[in-house]
Amino acid sequence: YDSNGNVCSLEGEILEDANNTSIQHMRGKLDSKTRDPFCQEQQKKIESVQTHNLAHNSAANREKINGLSFPEGKTSVGELSVDQLRTMITARGGNVSASCGKNLNKAELQRILTAYLLAEVENPVHTVYFDRSRKSNGTFAKIDTNEKNSAAEIIKNLERCNEHEESIQQFFRDLLHYIENN
């Protein structure tokens, strides 16, 4: 979406003009799958989620993350190598491969990192960085969130994590039940 509620491609082309439904969907007021308003039970569940509990142990201290800052002597995205671009994107929780599994090219990586950096400038308080190393990231490091996996598969793995409090595990169970039955 753009800021007016138009549905846009990644390149910014308007695919569908803004309307009441698209604006409500953009704001999270409609079911993402059906675009119908949430029923009362769904709304209660959404309102009961304590979002501070969704952060997990991969959220890391800024100063200790490789790739958070530009490498020494580099000051712009255009100066970075492909490996440096990948490191900086994954430090922000981003994906460095396409949905088909192929690696993104340098221009695509530059575009993604630029978008992340702009979002950080606009939203510095809400930016979370991730330690993607398996040695310090608990079970989340073992969950494959690649787009090749269905949402149900990813949610099943999240529900099995013991890193959540019971209410979050119940949220995942309810969400999985909803996905499997609709």
Side-chain angles (χ1 to χ4, degrees), residues 41-57:
E41 182 182 335
Q42 290 171 313
Q43 192 63 41
K44 262 178 74 175
K45 286 181 183 175
I46 291 167
E47 290 169 1
S48 73
V49 173
Q50 298 174 359
T51 55
H52 68 279
N53 289 325
L54 295 175
H56 51 74
N57 71 345

Side-chain angles (χ1 to χ4, degrees), residues 9-182:
S9 70
L10 289 175
E11 289 75 33
E13 175 189 347
I14 295 177
L15 303 174
E16 180 184 324
D17 289 333
N19 56 51
N20 188 46
T21 302
S22 69
I23 292 169
Q24 292 298 309
H25 186 261
M26 174 182 79
R27 293 180 178 155
K29 303 293 183 189
L30 300 177
D31 183 296
S32 61
K33 186 175 180 181
T34 65
R35 286 191 168 196
D36 292 331
F38 294 112
C39 69
Q40 195 169 19
E41 182 182 335
Q42 290 171 313
Q43 192 63 41
K44 262 178 74 175
K45 286 181 183 175
I46 291 167
E47 290 169 1
S48 73
V49 173
Q50 298 174 359
T51 55
H52 68 279
N53 289 325
L54 295 175
H56 51 74
N57 71 345
S58 67
N61 182 333
R62 289 184 58 102
E63 288 75 36
K64 296 184 179 184
I65 302 174
N66 180 31
L68 189 61
S69 302
F70 282 101
E72 193 171 325
K74 310 242 173 143
T75 58
S76 72
V77 171
E79 297 175 273
L80 301 175
S81 69
V82 169
D83 285 340
Q84 291 167 331
L85 289 163
R86 287 185 184 136
T87 299
M88 289 187 74
I89 291 169
T90 57
R92 289 156 173 81
N95 194 345
V96 293
S97 61
S99 58
C100 63
K102 292 185 178 181
N103 287 330
L104 298 175
N105 65 39
K106 186 171 185 174
E108 292 167 323
L109 294 169
Q110 288 173 328
R111 184 174 50 81
I112 291 168
L113 181 57
T114 299
Y116 273 114
L117 295 173
L118 289 173
E120 289 173 15
V121 169
E122 291 178 14
N123 242 332
V125 175
H126 295 95
T127 301
V128 177
Y129 304 101
F130 296 90
D131 178 356
R132 289 277 181 105
S133 65
R134 291 197 181 273
K135 67 181 184 307
S136 63
N137 195 12
T139 59
F140 279 97
K142 298 175 183 75
I143 294 176
D144 184 1
T145 57
N146 189 300
E147 22 326 291
K148 292 179 194 173
N149 296 327
S150 70
E153 290 174 285
I154 295 169
I155 292 167
K156 279 180 192 173
N157 288 328
L158 287 168
E159 189 271 327
R160 290 182 192 130
C161 284
N162 59 2
E163 295 179 21
H164 303 293
E165 65 181 41
E166 177 56 32
S167 65
I168 298 298
Q169 288 177 313
Q170 185 61 50
F171 172 76
F172 287 133
R173 285 191 289 274
D174 292 344
L175 184 59
L176 189 58
H177 176 77
Y178 177 79
I179 289 170
E180 290 174 341
N181 292 300
N182 290 303

